[in-house]
């Protein structure tokens, strides 16, 4: 029984809970195809008090005898986030309870929480599941040598995480990663950026990773990418296509930067998309 109520959804046999890791801050100057003043106005018009603030969600999944975590937040990397473990505890879950971790990708605000304050595995009993392309990208010395100074730190941190979990790491290339959970390639953000589709009893949910960082901006303006995208043009194409699919098919979505409510539906009005959060 949950000790504290967090946003959650029931998808057949699976219960999915949004667990906050806290916030990071990113300048609106990092956005492309939009003036920062216009971006700030979109944020403020939507009632966002701090336009540069990005919320970090992780998703706890119970079902079919498993306790799964999708992404692990920033864990205090660069003073970002760091609230996952405390919030899991409030939800009645300890790190040793997690048997599987599904990674959308290996940016530090998604893998930082995989290491504890001493640099060891924070979830020592969990299998780490990640797309093969994602691991290959971060482990490639050529990619490291071409990286900017800022990005070099991301490479070194991702490698440290993979090293700490190497004995319990499973990479995938096919779509099914666990019974009832399949991966979806979401190209452009990172080499192996993956969403996870959870399906049971004719219901489904798509955890779409980092399709958006600023939902109030990038859902209204899918052409707007962010400097964290490895391929900004491809990531904008992926976002536009996915918004069309999830709005047409009325698919419930979850995302690491959707905000504290964690779940929503995308609705299309003419050529524009809008997010409606689930209560």
């Amino acid at each position: 029984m949950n000790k504290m109520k967090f946003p959650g959804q029931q998808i057949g046999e699976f219960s999915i809970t949004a667990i906050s890791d806290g916030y990071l801050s990113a300048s609106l100057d990092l956005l492309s195809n939009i003036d920062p003043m216009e971006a700030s106005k979109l944020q403020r018009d939507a009632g966002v008090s701090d336009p540069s603030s990005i919320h970090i969600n992780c998703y706890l999944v119970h079902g079919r005898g498993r306790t799964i975590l999708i992404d692990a937040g920033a864990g205090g990397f660069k003073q970002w986030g760091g609230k996952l473990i405390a919030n899991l505890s409030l939800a009645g879950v300890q790190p040793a309870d997690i048997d599987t971790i599904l990674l959308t990708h290996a940016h530090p605000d998604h893998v930082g929480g995989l290491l504890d304050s001493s640099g060891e595995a924070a979830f020592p009993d969990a299998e780490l599941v990640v797309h093969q392309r994602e691991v290959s990208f971060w482990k490639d010395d050529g990619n490291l040598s071409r990286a900017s100074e800022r990005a070099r730190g991301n490479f070194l941190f991702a490698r440290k995480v993979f090293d700490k979990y190497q004995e319990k790491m499973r990479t995938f290339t096919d779509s099914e990663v666990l019974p009832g959970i399949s991966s979806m390639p979401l190209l452009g953000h990172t080499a192996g950026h993956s969403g996870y589709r959870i399906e049971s009893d004719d219901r489904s949910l798509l955890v779409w990773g980092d399709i958006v960082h600023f939902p109030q901006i990038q859902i209204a303006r899918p052409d707007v990418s962010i400097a964290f995208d490895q391929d900004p043009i491809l990531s904008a194409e992926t976002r536009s296509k996915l918004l069309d699919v999830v709005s047409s098919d009325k698919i419930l979505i979850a995302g690491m930067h959707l905000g504290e409510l964690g779940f929503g539906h995308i609705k299309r009005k003419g050529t524009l998309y809008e997010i409606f959060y689930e209560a």
Side-chain angles (χ1 to χ4, degrees):
M1 199 67 165
N2 280 6
K3 297 174 184 174
M4 181 175 166
K5 189 72 173 165
F6 290 93
Q9 294 289 324
Q10 192 72 33
I11 304 294
E13 301 166 80
F14 296 99
S15 66
I16 300 100
T17 308
I19 306 287
S20 174
D21 185 52
Y23 285 82
L24 63 86
S25 185
S27 169
L28 297 178
D29 293 335
L30 294 172
L31 297 172
S32 56
N33 281 339
I34 192 169
D35 182 270
M37 296 297 288
E38 184 187 349
S40 181
K41 184 178 187 302
L42 283 172
Q43 291 283 73
R44 294 194 187 282
D45 287 351
V48 177
S49 58
D50 179 0
S52 65
S53 183
I54 297 177
H55 182 252
I56 306 167
N57 265 327
C58 310
Y59 291 88
L60 178 67
V61 183
H62 285 107
R64 299 197 176 182
R66 289 182 176 271
T67 302
I68 302 161
L69 188 63
I70 306 181
D71 285 357
F77 181 90
K78 292 187 178 176
Q79 284 73 57
W80 297 342
K83 297 183 176 178
L84 172 65
I85 298 296
N87 281 331
L88 279 174
S89 181
L90 290 172
V93 174
Q94 299 305 313
D97 299 331
I98 305 291
D99 55 63
T100 311
I101 296 165
L102 304 181
L103 272 192
T104 62
H105 64 298
H107 275 159
D109 56 315
H110 301 260
V111 300
L114 291 176
L115 301 181
D116 62 21
S117 57
S118 62
E120 296 302 317
F123 301 92
D125 300 319
E127 178 184 50
L128 182 65
V129 182
V130 57
H131 199 287
Q132 176 62 55
R133 274 199 309 268
E134 190 71 6
V135 177
S136 297
F137 175 85
W138 295 106
K139 286 190 169 184
D140 187 295
D141 287 339
N143 292 335
L144 173 61
S145 69
R146 289 186 291 272
S148 67
E149 194 56 42
R150 177 184 64 82
R152 278 182 65 84
N154 294 352
F155 273 87
L156 299 176
F157 194 82
R159 290 177 177 203
K160 185 176 181 183
V161 169
F162 294 149
D163 286 347
K164 290 298 179 183
Y165 284 84
Q166 64 181 348
E167 291 180 10
K168 301 202 73 173
M169 189 162 75
R170 171 166 64 93
T171 59
F172 64 86
T173 52
D174 298 329
S175 61
E176 188 181 46
V177 291
L178 291 169
I181 303 178
S182 57
S183 71
M184 177 186 288
L186 297 172
L187 305 178
H189 183 54
T190 65
H193 183 229
S194 302
Y196 292 100
R197 184 90 176 250
I198 300 170
E199 297 179 277
S200 180
D201 297 350
D202 296 324
R203 291 208 70 206
S204 73
L205 164 74
L206 174 63
V207 180
W208 73 8
D210 277 12
I211 286 294
V212 299
H213 289 77
F214 293 103
Q216 308 305 334
I217 298 170
Q218 292 176 286
I219 289 170
R221 287 279 310 275
D223 60 316
V224 174
S225 289
I226 195 165
F228 308 141
D229 294 328
Q230 285 173 10
D231 186 332
I233 294 170
L234 181 56
S235 107
E237 289 173 1
T238 297
R239 186 163 37 256
S240 292
K241 287 176 187 171
L242 194 60
L243 288 170
D244 180 48
V245 168
V246 298
S247 59
S248 300
D249 296 350
K250 299 180 171 58
I251 297 170
L252 180 66
I253 55 153
M256 282 54 202
H257 304 304
L258 272 194
E260 290 190 11
L261 292 176
F263 302 91
H265 279 95
I266 302 296
K267 296 186 180 175
R268 185 174 188 160
K269 295 182 178 178
T271 58
L272 296 176
Y273 298 100
E274 193 175 348
I275 184 167
F276 291 86
Y277 288 97
E278 293 293 294

